Structures are given as C-alpha cells and as structure tokens.
Amino acid sequence: MLRSRSTLRLAASLALATALAACSSLPSQPATTADGKLVGYLHGDAIPDSLTLSPPPPAAGSASAQLDEAIAAQALTMRGSARFTQANVDADLSFPAGADQFSCALGVAVTARTTPVLYRLLERSRIDASAATKAAKNHYKRPRPFMVNNAPTCTPKDEIHLRDSGSYPSGHTSIGWAWALILSEIAPQQATALMERGRNYGNSRLVCNVHWYSDVKQGQFMGAATVARLHDNPDFVRELAQARRELERARTLKLALPRDCAAEAAALRSEIREAR
C-alpha cells in the first residue's frame, strides 16, 4: 500500500512537472511586426469582444441618457479651469508622454531608459485595451458630446478624427483603467492612489467634452476585461514579474518625477460628481 501511494505521488509529480514545462515552453508572440511596429499581447479571439460585453448605449430620454446629459453639462462648467488643462494633458497617450500619466500616483518616472520592461508593458497593454473597445465603437457609432452640444473640447486638433470614432465605450478610459489595475499589481503599496488616478483619468474624458458618462463606465469595464485576458498570456505574466523587480530598483535611484505632482493633485480635486 505504501509503495502504491509513493508511486502515485511520483506519477502526479511527474505529470505536474511535465505540465509546467509545457506551459513555460509555450511559444512567445513577437512584440513587434516585421517593420518594427510594437503590437499588443493579445491577438484574435483573445481580445475581449466589446460588442458582446457592452449593452447598447442609453436610449434617448432614458434615465441613463438623462444622467449622461446632466454630467456633460456639469463638465462644461470646468472649461478654462486647471481641471480642463489636466484633461488636455491626460488626452496624450503617445509615448513617451503616455508612460508618465500615472507617474505621480506611482511615485516613480517610467522611462525607456530606467524602466524599459514597464515602459514596454504599458505601451503594449495600451494597444490591447484600445483594441478591446473597437467592435462596439464601430457598431454603435455613438456621437460624442461636443457633436451634440457644439461646445469646444480640450483637444481641438483631434476633433476631426473624433467625429469619425464612436464614443461608446471610451478607449482612453479602457486604457487608463487597465493601467491602474496593472500598476496596482506591480506596486500594491500605491494601489489606492493608482486606482484613484485610473478613475479621474477616465473622468478627464468627460471634462474634455469628448465622452459621455456611460462611455466612461463601459470603458472601465472593458479595461478590466482586458487585464483579465492579459493574465492568461505568458508573455504578459512574465513581463509583469520583471516589471515589479525593475520598479523596486528604480525606486532606489530616487530620480525626480517628470511632472508637477502638486499641481496635478490640485487640478484633480475639482472632480466630476459622479452618481453614488
């Protein structure tokens, strides 16, 4: 009996070792295309399907639509304020600027030189979180607030492009919420500040007059769905662990942050009053 149990335990251990070896030997997806363009971690069916996961945007006259309109009206009162200026800053998702959107909450500058793995992880996950909103955006083609109220946005140069891009769900919010979740795993001590930054990052789209409240809420949902799928990707999981160690080393450098965090915090105190 003892020998039988030992044999079973040995067999189980060998099976587990074989399974783990198979997982670790899964082929990695290339991080770039043949011409050197960075790509996301997720491909094909691994990208969350926003059309399936997103209910239709609020119908005209519904309570949800009235809430959208009320919050949009509130956001318009912030034009010309420091919060409106911050919304303009938050609109920039290009890199290297995009890598610093959460630097104040994180307490560390994210750069290609000092934190290359984290820098790449944010850039690649940005692609995934944006892709996760495309199906619903293209299907519903919801007009954006500035197309309805004819008031300025915080990024006038982007308005031509935005007119052709559906408002629902918010891609910027999906990205910001995904980053907040990812960074909170890497730096759990800063999780509260990072999640708050993720929330007000999405609210910047309201202040900017380019998204409705329901766009932002569904954008958060799609960002969370993206992170859930990323955790099934071996490349992402490996680089997440590397980024955690990399961040610990970067903290020891005690480098100056790339933006005025006090000014950012002051601007973000004038926040959209969401439904509670």
Side-chain angles (χ1 to χ4, degrees):
M1 178 67 72
L2 290 176
R3 180 177 298 177
S4 176
R5 288 178 179 175
S6 298
T7 302
L8 287 173
R9 282 197 295 269
L10 177 60
S13 298
L14 289 173
L16 177 61
T18 301
L20 291 174
C23 289
S24 63
S25 63
L26 287 174
S28 297
Q29 290 284 351
T32 59
T33 60
D35 59 0
K37 185 178 179 181
L38 203 66
V39 297
Y41 296 96
L42 303 179
H43 305 276
D45 291 342
I47 299 171
D49 181 2
S50 57
L51 188 55
T52 298
L53 294 173
S54 302
S62 67
S64 295
Q66 291 174 32
L67 177 60
D68 277 352
E69 292 161 3
I71 291 180
Q74 179 193 151
L76 289 178
T77 67
M78 296 184 174
R79 284 181 294 172
S81 68
R83 185 67 181 87
F84 190 77
T85 301
Q86 181 64 43
N88 175 273
V89 173
D90 288 352
D92 190 358
L93 284 172
S94 65
F95 274 57
D100 281 327
Q101 292 290 10
F102 284 64
S103 60
C104 290
L106 185 63
V108 175
V110 179
T111 74
R113 181 178 64 84
T114 59
T115 55
V117 176
L118 179 55
Y119 184 95
R120 182 176 63 179
L121 185 147
L122 292 179
E123 196 168 9
R124 294 186 69 188
S125 60
R126 176 197 65 173
I127 296 168
D128 294 325
S130 175
T133 66
K134 296 299 184 184
K137 274 180 174 289
N138 293 334
H139 179 78
Y140 292 115
K141 290 287 185 182
R142 189 184 194 187
R144 295 171 182 268
F146 76 89
M147 299 165 63
V148 176
N149 58 33
N150 296 312
T153 71
C154 68
T155 54
K157 61 181 177 60
D158 294 334
E159 289 178 15
I160 293 178
H161 161 71
L162 291 171
R163 286 181 182 276
D164 293 328
S165 172
S167 187
Y168 176 84
S170 167
H172 271 71
T173 302
S174 177
I175 294 165
W177 199 247
W179 282 350
L181 292 169
I182 291 168
L183 290 171
S184 292
E185 287 195 62
I186 294 172
Q189 297 85 354
Q190 283 75 42
T192 297
L194 289 163
M195 295 306 296
E196 177 67 9
R197 181 66 179 117
R199 187 186 68 83
N200 59 46
Y201 190 81
N203 283 353
S204 282
R205 305 309 283 165
L206 305 173
V207 177
C208 196
N209 196 33
V210 294
H211 277 292
W212 305 100
Y213 179 70
S214 54
D215 301 340
V216 167
K217 301 311 288 183
Q218 189 60 25
Q220 289 176 343
F221 183 90
M222 294 312 305
T226 300
V227 174
R229 294 307 303 269
L230 283 170
H231 276 283
D232 193 42
N233 182 279
D235 292 339
F236 172 81
V237 172
R238 182 181 64 254
E239 292 184 2
L240 187 74
Q242 292 172 351
R244 185 179 293 112
R245 295 190 293 271
E246 184 181 75
L247 182 63
E248 292 172 357
R249 292 193 297 270
R251 288 194 189 282
T252 67
L253 301 176
K254 300 185 183 303
L255 299 177
L257 292 174
R259 55 178 62 192
D260 186 338
C261 293
E264 178 178 287
L268 293 174
R269 289 190 196 107
S270 300
E271 191 56 293
I272 292 288
R273 295 187 299 276
E274 300 181 54
R276 299 292 184 183

